[in-house]
């Protein structure tokens, strides 16, 4: 049976309009609101308002910088500041700037890094989405990342050397090499402390100023919504309280990029070294490895020989000689004691396993460092082992402090670091996450270490107490 | 120079609410919220702003409808079923809360399909309850034209509702 009711769309429409008007609105937490810690000029890191997702982005940005450009590592600071959940009214516009940047396919720009009073170190970079990047430094170094070839090359024209390294790409890494583009893309759409317009090169631009660990300013062309210049200043960004400043300028978006610029090819006559996972090396499961000064790194102890290391972990991806010469001298600055054999110090590098081991011919293993993609980008795999206190990469600073107590030195420069010289640990953090830790022979208790509070420390021999 | 901090504090919730009412998604509304401020900034560079809430509401509504339009285009290309007649299979009464919600959602979507100015005028006048003069100022037209735009929009939506005719119930 069918039953019909009269239906008048007009009252129904009014009813619907009322419902639309009275739609329940969820709580509105204004992400543009100024962060109190920032406003107060607090120098401590502030929590990322985006939470874990924000941290992940920032970390990813940082490793992109390290992995993709190498020589432009300082530029990673830009990432840190850009991605640090800035405050203020103006983050509003960043979503659109990100969108504009995300629509670009390539970028050329220059980084000028000012270390204290020194002349700037200039890096010219080219990056192309999905292809890779090229960075040329003012010291004659060139770093190229080629995503298709899954290799990077670092060329030192001064010393006529080149190192070709394997890339360990994972899903999502096809964007690696974008350098600047990638970090802008990943910026949280939260914003600047100031918002306004100014004139740059005779052109009106929008200005976004961030105040986080330092001052960071982005100038944007309102017509294209693309950045035209970025400036970042860390007043005490270098050890000893010296300032660090970085300017990124001369942006050219969507310029054609010749693929030949991204070739992984050393110039003729250059000494070439390779850092690649040996194909015939037996697999090593780093998940089972425990690292600590007393026990070493898995089966390898501090003091173990180079042969023992290779027996335990197989052929390194790369062996790099760091020192060769006499160890003992008659006096500081004086001639070496005759008759002694040269000491050879080497780095046995296993980025495919996430660690590197320092070994010398006279003392054996002197120390090792464990790292992963958070620190090295796509130049390494993650070390998946733990310390003796179950601390692994990605742990928080609080985790480490709870496990190992008060450090001898705590630095807060371009990275946060905890140094436990008397226990033999160093922990490096980025965005609040443990990105690498290293182990060396613990300092003796007779050595007193004073934290100068500016990223430096002073070591003294303790005065002996007379009975 | 405007005090953007104050503008944000005073009208932030208003903008978010206007965007949310259309988009019904928190993340989208937040994105829209940001876009509104950028556009407002550019707008006020060109001419002075006399009525901030009306301007911000207008931008929010326009941006949100744009987003909804874009979203519907994408979903239509992916899943044509989403554009199928709303109540064809429900057979329920309009008094039923669930079906009424669906009807509300349907109308929300249809507003995004109206000609842009019709959709904006309708939403600003009927949902956001701006005065005709305020809507006219934002749309750069006069009150009579706004009346016409709203009337046309209502007619089209009424036709839609008549087509749906949810009162017909099979028993």
């Amino acid at each position: 049976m069918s039953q019909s009711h009269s239906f008048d769309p007009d009252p129904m429409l009014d009813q619907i309009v009322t419902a639309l008007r009275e739609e329940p609105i969820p709580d509105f937490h204004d992400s543009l609101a100024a962060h109190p810690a920032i406003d107060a000029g607090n120098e401590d890191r502030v929590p990322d308002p985006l939470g874990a997702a924000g941290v992940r982005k920032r970390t990813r940005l940082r490793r992109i910088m390290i992995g993709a450009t190498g020589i432009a590592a300082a530029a990673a600071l830009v990432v840190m500041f850009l991605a640090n959940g800035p405050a203020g009214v103006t983050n509003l516009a960043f979503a659109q700037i990100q969108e504009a940047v995300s629509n670009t396919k390539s970028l050329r720009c220059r980084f000028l890094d000012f270390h204290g009073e020194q002349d700037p170190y200039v890096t010219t970079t080219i990056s192309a989405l999905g292809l890779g990047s090229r960075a040329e430094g003012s010291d004659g170094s060139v770093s190229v990342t080629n995503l298709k070839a899954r290799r990077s090359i670092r060329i030192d024209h001064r010393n006529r050397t080149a190192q070709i390294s394997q890339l360990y790409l994972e899903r999502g890494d096809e964007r690696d090499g974008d350098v600047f583009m990638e970090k802008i893309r990943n910026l949280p759409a939260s914003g600047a402390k100031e918002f306004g317009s100014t004139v740059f090169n005779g052109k009106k631009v929008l200005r976004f100023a961030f105040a986080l660990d330092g001052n960071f300013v982005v100038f944007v062309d309102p017509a294209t919504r693309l950045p035209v210049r970025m400036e970042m200043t860390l007043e005490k960004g270098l050890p000893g309280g010296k300032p660090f400043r970085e300017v990124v300028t001369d942006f050219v978006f969507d310029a054609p990029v010749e693929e030949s610029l991204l070739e992984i090819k050393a110039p003729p006559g250059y000494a070439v070294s390779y850092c690649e996972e040996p194909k015939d090396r037996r697999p090593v499961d780093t998940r089972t490895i425990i690292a600590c000064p007393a026990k070493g790194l898995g089966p390898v102890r501090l003091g173990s020989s180079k042969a023992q290391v290779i027996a335990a972990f197989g052929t390194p991806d790369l062996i790099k000689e760091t020192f060769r010469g006499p160890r003992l001298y008659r006096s500081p600055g004086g001639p070496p004691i005759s008759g002694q054999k040269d000491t050879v110090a080497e780095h046995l590098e296993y980025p495919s396993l996430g660690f590197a081991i320092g070994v010398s011919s006279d003392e054996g293993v002197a120390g090792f460092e464990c790292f992963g993609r958070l620190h090295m980008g796509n130049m390494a795999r993650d070390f998946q082992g733990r310390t003796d206190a179950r601390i692994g990469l990605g742990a928080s600073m609080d985790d480490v402090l709870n496990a190992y107590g008060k450090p001898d030195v705590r630095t807060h420069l371009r990275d946060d670091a905890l140094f436990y010289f008397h226990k033999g640990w160093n922990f490096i953090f980025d965005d609040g996450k443990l990105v690498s830790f290293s182990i060396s022979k613990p300092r003796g208790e007779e050595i007193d270490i004073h934290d100068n509070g500016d990223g430096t420390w002073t070591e003294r021999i303790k005065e002996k107490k007379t009975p | 120079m405007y005090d953007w901090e104050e503008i944000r504090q005073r009208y932030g919730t208003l903008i978010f609410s206007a965007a949310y009412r259309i988009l019904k998604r928190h993340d989208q509304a937040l994105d829209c919220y940001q876009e509104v401020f950028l556009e407002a900034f550019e707008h006020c560079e060109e001419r002075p702003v006399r009525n901030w809430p009306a301007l911000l509401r207008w931008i929010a509504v326009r941006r949100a409808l744009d987003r909804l339009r874009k979203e519907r285009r994408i979903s239509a290309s992916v899943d044509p079923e989403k554009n199928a007649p709303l109540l064809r299979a429900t057979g329920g009464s309009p008094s039923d809360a669930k079906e009424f919600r669906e009807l509300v959602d349907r109308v929300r979507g249809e507003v995004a399909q109206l000609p842009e100015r019709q959709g904006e005028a309708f939403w600003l006048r009927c949902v956001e309850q701006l005065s005709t003069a305020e809507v006219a100022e934002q749309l750069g037209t006069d009150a009579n034209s706004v009346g016409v735009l709203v009337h046309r929009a209502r007619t089209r939506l009424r036709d839609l509702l008549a087509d749906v005719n949810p009162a017909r119930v099979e028993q």
Side-chain angles (χ1 to χ4, degrees):
Chain A
M1 191 175 74
S2 165
Q3 180 185 345
S4 293
H5 300 278
S6 62
F7 174 68
D8 184 351
D10 251 339
M12 176 59 78
L13 183 56
D14 288 339
Q15 208 180 327
I16 289 169
V17 166
T18 304
L20 286 167
R21 193 161 51 232
E22 292 172 356
E23 189 79 63
I25 306 293
D27 287 346
F28 172 54
H29 299 291
D30 189 352
S31 60
L32 308 184
H35 194 290
I38 295 169
D39 283 347
N42 190 336
E43 288 186 358
D44 288 339
R45 288 277 173 101
V46 293
D48 187 336
L50 292 184
V55 169
R56 183 181 58 74
K57 285 179 179 175
R58 292 162 56 193
T59 303
R60 175 172 161 70
L61 294 173
R62 181 163 178 83
R63 72 179 166 74
I64 285 162
M65 289 304 300
I66 295 165
T69 66
I71 58 172
L77 280 174
V78 178
V79 178
M80 181 176 75
F81 284 107
L82 273 173
N84 210 345
V89 176
T90 52
N91 34 17
L92 40 100
F94 245 89
Q96 297 208 334
I97 288 152
Q98 285 172 307
E99 191 183 346
V101 172
S102 72
N103 290 330
T104 62
K105 302 294 182 198
S106 71
L107 167 69
R108 291 165 189 249
C109 64
R110 282 200 305 154
F111 292 82
L112 286 81
D113 294 336
F114 298 83
H115 295 80
E117 302 297 318
Q118 296 174 22
D119 289 340
Y121 183 91
V122 182
T123 308
T124 305
T125 69
I126 303 169
S127 56
L129 184 67
L131 295 177
S133 66
R134 180 185 180 92
E136 297 181 4
S138 52
D139 63 351
S141 60
V142 176
S143 179
V144 176
T145 298
N146 188 315
L147 299 178
K148 286 182 179 173
R150 291 176 169 259
R151 291 289 182 279
S152 71
I153 185 169
R154 207 163 182 173
I155 303 169
D156 182 347
H157 286 302
R158 283 185 181 174
N159 296 312
R160 298 174 68 81
T161 59
Q163 181 180 312
I164 294 175
S165 302
Q166 185 174 348
L167 300 181
Y168 302 94
L169 299 176
E170 291 183 358
R171 180 178 285 187
D173 281 347
E174 63 274 7
R175 288 191 178 276
D176 274 10
D178 295 345
V179 192
F180 174 83
M181 283 199 294
E182 184 69 7
K183 67 190 180 190
I184 283 281
R185 261 190 213 107
N186 286 333
L187 284 176
S190 52
K193 209 173 177 188
E194 297 172 43
F195 185 50
S197 63
T198 185
V199 174
F200 175 69
N201 278 352
K203 204 173 174 183
K204 194 171 182 182
V205 294
L206 299 179
R207 179 180 184 278
F208 298 84
F210 299 77
L212 300 166
D213 289 10
N215 295 314
F216 191 83
V217 184
V218 185
F219 299 95
V220 176
D221 181 343
T224 62
R225 290 178 180 167
L226 292 170
V228 294
R229 184 181 173 91
M230 302 198 305
E231 296 176 5
M232 188 269 290
T233 306
L234 276 171
E235 289 302 336
K236 293 179 180 177
L238 299 173
K242 291 179 182 171
F244 175 79
R245 180 164 176 257
E246 181 167 78
V247 175
V248 193
T249 185
D250 298 339
F251 290 97
V252 180
F253 288 92
D254 284 331
V257 176
E258 282 185 36
E259 286 202 41
S260 62
L261 290 172
L262 305 180
E263 271 188 347
I264 304 295
K265 194 175 176 184
Y270 279 45
V272 183
S273 58
Y274 293 87
C275 184
E276 297 178 339
E277 183 177 24
K279 288 193 174 74
D280 54 353
R281 191 175 66 198
R282 65 182 166 77
V284 175
D285 185 357
T286 60
R287 287 175 297 184
T288 60
I289 293 178
I290 300 293
C292 70
K295 295 182 179 175
L297 182 69
V300 169
R301 303 279 178 273
L302 289 177
S304 294
S305 68
K306 176 181 173 181
Q308 286 173 315
V309 173
I310 293 174
F313 297 125
T315 307
D317 302 4
L318 173 70
I319 299 178
K320 194 183 279 181
E321 187 175 294
T322 55
F323 175 79
R324 181 181 287 271
R327 177 86 84 181
L328 302 174
Y329 291 80
R330 291 183 190 282
S331 60
I337 294 172
S338 59
Q340 61 177 312
K341 279 176 68 178
D342 276 356
T343 294
V344 178
E346 295 171 305
H347 271 171
L348 310 183
E349 299 191 1
Y350 296 87
S352 56
L353 299 176
F355 58 79
I357 298 174
V359 59
S360 68
S361 56
D362 56 346
E363 293 183 347
V365 172
F368 46 87
E369 183 186 8
C370 302
F371 45 78
R373 293 170 61 82
L374 287 172
H375 194 47
M376 302 287 285
N378 52 28
M379 305 275 284
R381 290 200 185 103
D382 283 333
F383 174 74
Q384 295 181 307
R386 294 278 188 275
T387 72
D388 54 349
R390 308 296 300 163
I391 298 292
L393 296 179
S396 70
M397 192 177 283
D398 283 344
D399 291 338
V400 175
L401 289 168
N402 289 336
Y404 294 105
K406 186 173 180 286
D408 295 314
V409 176
R410 182 173 182 164
T411 67
H412 177 66
L413 300 171
R414 292 155 64 178
D415 280 318
D416 290 313
L418 301 176
F419 297 99
Y420 295 85
F421 294 113
H422 287 112
K423 294 177 179 172
W425 289 106
N426 292 340
F427 295 94
I428 309 294
F429 298 84
D430 185 16
D431 297 334
K433 281 186 172 182
L434 181 64
V435 296
S436 81
F437 58 88
S438 57
I439 290 172
S440 55
K441 193 178 170 187
R443 295 273 210 289
E445 287 304 319
E446 73 280 7
I447 309 268
D448 183 45
I449 296 171
H450 174 71
D451 186 347
N452 297 331
D454 59 0
T456 65
W457 57 91
T458 307
E459 298 185 21
R460 296 189 191 90
I461 297 175
K462 286 179 188 170
E463 288 181 15
K464 285 182 182 169
K465 288 177 185 172
T466 49
Chain B
M1 191 66 188
Y2 297 101
D3 184 343
W4 289 95
E5 185 65 24
E6 192 194 336
I7 291 168
R8 181 190 60 74
Q9 283 175 1
R10 285 184 68 177
Y11 305 119
T13 307
L14 177 150
I15 296 165
F16 176 79
S17 302
Y20 186 85
R21 272 192 282 272
I22 294 172
L23 294 164
K24 288 275 283 173
R25 277 181 51 185
H26 196 269
D27 57 338
Q28 292 252 22
L30 280 177
D31 282 354
C32 191
Y33 169 72
Q34 297 177 3
E35 291 173 3
V36 170
F37 269 106
L38 180 64
E39 187 173 334
F41 177 81
E42 290 169 350
H43 179 99
C44 73
E45 290 281 288
E46 292 165 7
R47 56 179 186 271
V49 178
R50 289 191 304 174
N51 185 343
W52 275 106
L55 172 72
L56 295 171
R57 266 194 170 121
W58 168 58
I59 298 173
V61 165
R62 186 161 46 76
R63 291 271 175 182
L65 286 174
D66 277 349
R67 278 178 174 264
L68 196 59
R69 220 169 275 134
K70 212 179 283 180
E71 199 174 64
R72 282 175 64 90
R73 269 202 300 273
I74 293 166
S75 63
S77 65
V78 173
D79 182 9
E81 278 300 300
K82 286 198 170 181
N83 274 352
L86 175 73
L87 296 178
R88 70 177 181 190
T90 59
S93 157
S95 60
D96 181 278
K98 188 182 171 201
E99 288 179 6
F100 182 72
R101 288 308 315 161
E102 288 176 341
L103 199 54
V104 171
D105 287 342
R106 175 70 182 266
V107 168
R108 180 188 284 108
E110 288 302 326
V111 173
Q113 301 310 306
L114 293 172
E116 286 179 22
R117 286 167 69 81
Q118 272 186 36
E120 288 166 24
F122 171 80
W123 198 277
L124 288 170
R125 182 73 189 94
C126 301
V127 181
E128 294 297 328
Q129 293 191 301
L130 262 59
S131 70
T132 308
E134 284 176 319
V135 178
E137 185 184 359
Q138 299 311 324
L139 297 186
T141 186
D142 55 47
N144 286 340
S145 302
V146 170
V148 171
L149 288 169
V150 173
H151 174 74
R152 285 179 181 165
R154 281 189 69 94
T155 304
R156 290 184 68 144
L157 293 172
R158 215 171 42 218
D159 291 348
L160 164 79
L161 291 173
D163 287 346
V164 170
N165 193 356
R168 190 174 299 140
V169 183
E170 294 296 327
Q171 290 190 340

